[in-house]
């Protein structure tokens, strides 16, 4: 009696799916975060409102006031300041939407490295701030042509354009930092408007804190970035303000974002 011996054929490895284990790069994640900014009703209308607010401010600037204020520099200054009102709110919603809309679980399942998600949000915010500054500059050029000043209508220092760009990026990132620190849309938006006003009131009403306000008040230190070229002393004041309103909340927010419990 003989028995047949069978041997299982060696298993051949399946061709791996090229996209199955692919980790999305930072550029791809940044594109996704950029899409989130305008792909929702809130984001779309915020961006549109910011653009209309900047355009309206530019038109009012060029049609009213003295002839000496009808310059590209003044129009660009006022338009940039108007745009910066809503840019932080966009940054806040970019971060808090993951938690308030309960999409954080899906996001962190697809990209477990939370730090890369936060880095993509920061990168997307910077890209949007650059784009917003470019749009405001283009709008300022078009609006200035309506009623230009008789002297120096088109004079605009390149250093001032760079400062305005930095101002827009700082404004945007302050919103991202507050959103990450609080992780709730409504409280973060309220805080972005109330805290700077309250800080200004406290530092100006209490005489002993007046010097502190000169170094940490957003209205005093950051507001000048779009109006004239800053001195070294003024840049130092900008640095201390950024440390308080951007670096500190972003550090707190990064810790919460990386370690926060998903509900």
């Amino acid at each position: 009696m003989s028995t047949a011996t069978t041997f299982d054929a060696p298993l051949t490895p399946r061709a791996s799916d090229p996209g199955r284990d692919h980790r999305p790069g930072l550029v791809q994640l940044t594109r996704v975060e950029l899409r989130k900014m305008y792909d929702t009703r809130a984001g779309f209308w915020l961006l549109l409102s910011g653009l209309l607010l900047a355009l309206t401010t530019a038109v009012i600037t060029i049609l009213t006031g003295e002839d000496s204020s009808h310059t590209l520099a003044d129009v660009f200054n006022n338009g940039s300041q108007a745009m910066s009102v809503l840019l932080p709110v966009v940054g806040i919603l970019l971060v808090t939407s993951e938690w308030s809309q309960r999409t954080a679980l899906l996001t962190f399942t697809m990209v477990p490295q939370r730090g890369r998600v936060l880095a993509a949000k920061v990168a997307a915010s910077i890209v949007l701030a650059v784009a917003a500054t470019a749009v405001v500059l283009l709008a300022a050029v078009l609006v200035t042509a309506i009623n230009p000043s008789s002297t120096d209508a088109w004079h605009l220092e390149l250093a001032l354009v760079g400062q305005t760009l930095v101002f827009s990026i700082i404004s945007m990132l302050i919103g991202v930092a507050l959103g990450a620190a609080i992780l709730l849309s409504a409280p973060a938006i309220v805080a972005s408007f109330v805290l700077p006003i309250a800080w200004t009131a406290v530092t100006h009403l209490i005489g002993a804190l007046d010097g502190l306000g000169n170094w940490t008040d957003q209205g005093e230190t950051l507001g000048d970035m779009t109006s004239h070229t800053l001195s070294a002393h003024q840049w130092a004041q900008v640095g201390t303000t950024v440390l308080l309103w951007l670096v500190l909340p972003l550090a707190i927010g990064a810790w919460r974002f990386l370690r926060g419990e998903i509900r």
Side-chain angles (χ1 to χ4, degrees):
M1 181 177 179
S2 61
T3 58
T5 303
T6 60
F7 297 93
D8 294 333
L11 295 177
T12 58
R14 289 172 51 189
S16 59
D17 183 1
R20 185 170 62 91
D21 298 321
H22 173 67
R23 187 178 72 168
L26 183 60
V27 174
Q28 183 177 357
L29 291 176
T30 302
R31 290 175 181 171
V32 172
E33 298 301 333
L34 279 171
R35 191 181 305 120
K36 290 179 182 179
M37 292 183 183
Y38 64 83
D39 207 20
T40 62
R41 290 183 180 179
F44 173 79
W45 285 109
L46 270 174
L47 292 175
L48 183 59
S49 299
L51 177 61
L52 292 177
L53 180 61
L55 184 60
T56 301
T57 304
V59 171
I60 293 175
T61 301
I62 204 67
L63 295 180
T64 61
E66 300 178 357
D67 180 74
S68 59
S69 65
H70 299 167
T71 63
L72 177 59
D74 284 334
V75 174
F76 185 45
N77 172 26
N78 294 339
S80 300
Q81 290 286 345
M83 175 67 79
S84 69
V85 173
L86 295 180
L87 275 182
V89 180
V90 178
I92 288 172
L93 294 179
L94 178 64
V95 179
T96 58
S97 61
E98 299 285 0
W99 306 83
S100 60
Q101 298 179 10
R102 301 183 183 275
T103 59
L105 181 60
L106 176 61
T107 299
F108 296 145
T109 299
M110 299 179 64
V111 187
Q113 299 83 7
R114 297 188 185 185
R116 298 179 68 242
V117 176
L118 182 58
K121 292 181 182 296
V122 171
S125 300
I126 294 175
V127 172
L128 180 64
V130 173
T133 304
V135 170
V136 172
L137 178 58
L138 176 61
V141 171
L142 297 177
V143 171
T144 303
I146 298 175
N147 186 27
S149 172
S150 57
T151 57
D152 294 332
W154 301 101
H155 177 71
L156 179 61
E157 296 181 7
L158 185 60
L160 192 58
V161 176
Q163 284 184 186
T164 304
L165 176 60
V166 174
F167 168 78
S168 299
I169 293 174
I170 291 174
S171 300
M172 187 75 181
L173 291 182
I174 286 176
V176 174
L178 278 176
I182 300 175
L183 293 180
L184 291 172
S185 300
I189 293 173
V190 172
S192 69
F193 290 102
V194 173
L195 288 181
I197 296 175
W199 185 260
T200 300
V202 170
T203 55
H204 284 74
L205 290 177
I206 302 176
L209 298 178
D210 188 58
L212 180 63
N214 293 334
W215 288 84
T216 57
D217 187 352
Q218 292 188 44
E220 290 191 12
T221 60
L222 301 183
D224 291 338
M225 296 183 70
T226 62
S227 59
H228 62 268
T229 305
L230 300 184
S231 64
H233 178 77
Q234 290 174 312
W235 273 113
Q237 292 176 320
V238 170
T240 55
T241 304
V242 168
L243 284 175
L244 177 63
W245 295 100
L246 173 55
V247 176
L248 179 60
L250 185 59
I252 297 172
W255 184 84
R256 294 200 64 194
F257 195 89
L258 297 177
R259 299 179 179 272
E261 180 182 356
I262 303 174
R263 299 177 181 179

